[in-house]
């Protein structure tokens, strides 16, 4: 009876060990597959490739007197604000959704121009809200009651579609990334790597430092990164930092998102209102939110900046200049805002497309995205992307390591496959132990049998 029980225990132990080996192998394989970098995707974020009409093209074709902007609907379809039924029919024929509104884009732009011509009040900002067909004027806590009263009077004379609101915190530049860059003026974040064909540069925020500023990659000032050769702030908010060595090096098409990970950049585009976007910065890391307005104006204490992207993505000091992107498409660099990543707030970004045009440079993008490594690529208008459907983009090591890493390298990376290897090791020990126990029992049985025979 004891022998039968022992045989059952040994069999159960062996079966458990074999099962552990199989489970451990599956864990290792899954970890190795998870560690493999997916290929970079160069597809634009439009709903269908080669679509004849998008929200932006419809607005351009119908004109500012008959439309009042476009945005992304919850279903991912482009929505176009229109002022007459004929324009609405044209929008429907193009496959987009019209929304009838009382005020045209021409009226809304005239309102923002009037606000811009009034005496400047630091701590204020305004933008056109396409979805509510209003001009939204914000004033932070630094705006005095007298200035608020005067600005309210200007808004009242324009019309009831100008909406005034007080906000928490203060509108400031986010000086102090992707990866941090440091100078005597403070800390900023690197945005995107760009090139003019002869030299490579970092595209970052203009308020980070004037032309001639020297940047370092460390606090001690031992690793000189480069020097600012072109800067625009206020008015716009972008600058070029030329690499001290002339080239950006390997991984130039990648922006950091923290934890040793990065996103490959495949092109540039202008965002759409309602689009989900991502921002990376050295202070607050990777954050996401939605685009709420375009062509926004902010009156920073240092001066007025116009033509900005307004979003709900949070940012904090030190995030200035960091990249704004979606699905690997570069959209902007961090300018400023209010609030923080605990309470939320509004953040503004310098559009990448305008900065590239003004500076005469192009993005360094992933190989194949623009036809060749180091080429430039301009994504299609992204207005038909569902707000909730975007992701940061294809992942990559921040260092730009080779995408051809071997399976063996991933299998030997204990960070990825440690749990699976432990299960395999434990199972092997169990198998060896059961074999040893069985062999020892057989040896003793053999001795007992022959001892009795010899006796």
């Amino acid at each position: 009876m004891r022998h039968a029980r022992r045989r059952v225990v040994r069999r159960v132990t062996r079966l458990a060990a074999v099962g552990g080996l199989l489970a451990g192998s599956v864990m290792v394989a899954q970890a190795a597959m998870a560690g493999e970098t997916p290929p970079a995707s160069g597809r634009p974020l439009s709903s269908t490739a080669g679509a004849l009409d998008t929200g932006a093209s419809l607005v351009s074709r119908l004109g500012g007197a008959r439309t009042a902007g476009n945005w992304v609907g919850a279903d991912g379809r482009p929505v176009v604000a229109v002022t007459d039924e004929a324009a609405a029919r044209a929008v429907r024929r193009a496959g987009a959704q019209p929304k009838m509104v009382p005020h045209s884009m021409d009226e809304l732009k005239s309102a923002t121009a009037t606000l811009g011509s009034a005496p400047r009040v630091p701590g204020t900002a305004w933008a056109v809200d396409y979805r509510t067909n209003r001009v939204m004027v914000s004033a932070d806590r630094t705006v005095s009651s007298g200035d608020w009263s005067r600005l309210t009077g200007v808004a009242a004379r324009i019309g009831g579609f100008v909406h005034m609101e007080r906000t928490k915190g203060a509108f400031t530049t986010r000086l102090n990334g992707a990866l941090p860059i440091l100078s005597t003026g403070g800390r900023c974040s690197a945005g995107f790597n760009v090139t003019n064909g002869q030299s490579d540069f970092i595209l970052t925020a203009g308020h980070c430092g004037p032309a001639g500023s020297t940047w370092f990659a460390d606090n001690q000032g031992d690793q000189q990164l480069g020097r600012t050769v072109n800067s625009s702030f206020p008015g716009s908010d972008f600058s070029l930092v030329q690499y001290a060595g002339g080239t950006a090096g390997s991984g130039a098409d990648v922006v950091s998102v923290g934890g040793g990970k990065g996103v490959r950049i495949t092109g540039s585009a202008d965002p759409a209102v309602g689009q989900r976007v991502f921002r990376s910065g050295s202070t607050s890391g990777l954050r996401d939110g939605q685009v709420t307005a375009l062509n926004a104006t902010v009156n920073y204490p240092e001066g007025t900046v116009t033509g900005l992207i307004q979003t709900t993505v949070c940012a904090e000091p030190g995030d200035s200049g960091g990249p704004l992107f979606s699905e690997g498409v570069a959209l902007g660099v961090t300018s400023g805002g209010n609030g923080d990543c605990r309470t939320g707030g509004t953040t503004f970004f310098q559009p990448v497309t305008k900065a590239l045009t003004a500076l005469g440079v192009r993005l360094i993008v992933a190989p194949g995205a623009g036809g060749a490594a180091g080429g430039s690529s301009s994504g299609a208008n992204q207005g038909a992307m569902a707000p909730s459907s975007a992701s940061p983009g294809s992942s990559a090591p921040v260092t730009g390591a080779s995408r051809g890493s071997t399976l063996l390298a991933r299998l030997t990376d204990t960070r990825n496959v440690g749990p699976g290897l432990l299960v395999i090791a434990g199972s092997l020990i169990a198998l060896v132990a059961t074999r040893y126990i069985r062999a020892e029992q057989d040896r003793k049985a053999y001795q007992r049998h022959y001892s009795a025979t010899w006796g």
Side-chain angles (χ1 to χ4, degrees), residues 88-411:
R89 288 194 295 270
V91 169
R92 291 190 193 96
R93 284 195 300 270
Q97 180 181 346
K99 179 181 179 180
M100 198 69 68
V101 295
H103 305 289
S104 69
M105 182 57 74
D106 288 349
E107 292 179 80
L108 298 173
K109 285 185 175 180
S110 176
T112 59
T114 302
L115 289 167
S117 63
R120 192 179 81 88
V121 179
T124 59
W126 54 79
V128 175
D129 187 336
Y130 298 159
R131 288 175 286 196
T132 63
N133 197 228
R134 297 188 298 184
V135 175
M136 307 296 292
V137 181
S138 303
D140 67 23
R141 58 176 172 75
T142 67
V143 176
S144 67
S145 57
D147 284 337
W148 173 255
S149 178
R150 284 188 289 274
L151 196 58
T152 300
V154 173
R157 289 192 292 273
I158 295 172
F161 60 92
V162 179
H163 179 73
M164 304 285 292
E165 63 177 8
R166 282 278 196 174
T167 65
K168 296 180 180 179
F171 291 123
T172 60
T173 53
R174 305 282 87 173
L175 180 61
N176 231 4
L179 299 176
I181 54 177
L182 304 103
S183 75
T184 55
R187 177 166 64 90
C188 273
S189 298
F192 301 98
N193 284 310
V194 298
T195 183
N196 62 6
Q198 285 79 42
S199 298
D200 295 346
F201 309 83
I202 297 170
L203 177 65
T204 188
H207 70 262
C208 288
S213 300
T214 301
W215 293 92
F216 299 89
D218 65 322
N219 288 314
Q220 290 73 37
D222 296 329
Q223 303 175 37
Q224 184 173 335
L225 192 62
R227 185 173 58 87
T228 301
V229 294
N230 199 329
S231 180
S232 178
F233 178 81
S236 299
D237 196 359
F238 55 79
S239 65
L240 275 183
V241 176
Q242 185 173 15
Y243 279 101
T247 61
S250 61
D253 59 321
V254 176
V255 295
S256 171
V257 294
K261 302 293 184 181
V263 168
R264 284 196 172 90
I265 299 302
T266 60
S268 62
D270 291 319
V273 171
Q275 181 181 345
R276 186 185 180 199
V277 291
F278 298 81
R279 176 201 58 74
S280 184
S282 61
T283 299
S284 55
L286 182 67
R287 305 285 176 163
D288 73 300
Q290 279 193 355
V291 176
T292 55
L294 304 175
N295 296 314
T297 296
V298 186
N299 291 298
Y300 294 126
E302 303 92 333
T304 300
V305 180
T306 62
L308 298 174
I309 303 165
Q310 180 176 306
T311 77
T312 61
V313 188
C314 69
E316 297 183 357
D319 289 332
S320 278
L324 179 75
F325 54 91
S326 182
E327 283 286 334
V329 176
L331 303 174
V333 293
T334 307
S335 175
N338 68 336
D340 53 39
C341 291
R342 294 178 299 278
T343 61
T346 299
T347 304
F348 301 95
F349 298 84
Q350 166 67 51
V352 161
T353 53
K354 294 178 181 177
L356 295 177
T357 299
L359 294 167
V361 294
R362 63 182 185 275
L363 281 173
I364 298 176
V365 299
S376 63
S377 174
S378 182
N381 181 277
Q382 303 175 66
M385 190 65 175
S388 60
S389 63
S391 61
S394 60
S395 63
V398 173
T399 57
S402 171
R403 279 174 282 177
S405 60
T406 63
L407 177 62
L408 178 61
R410 294 193 298 274
L411 288 176

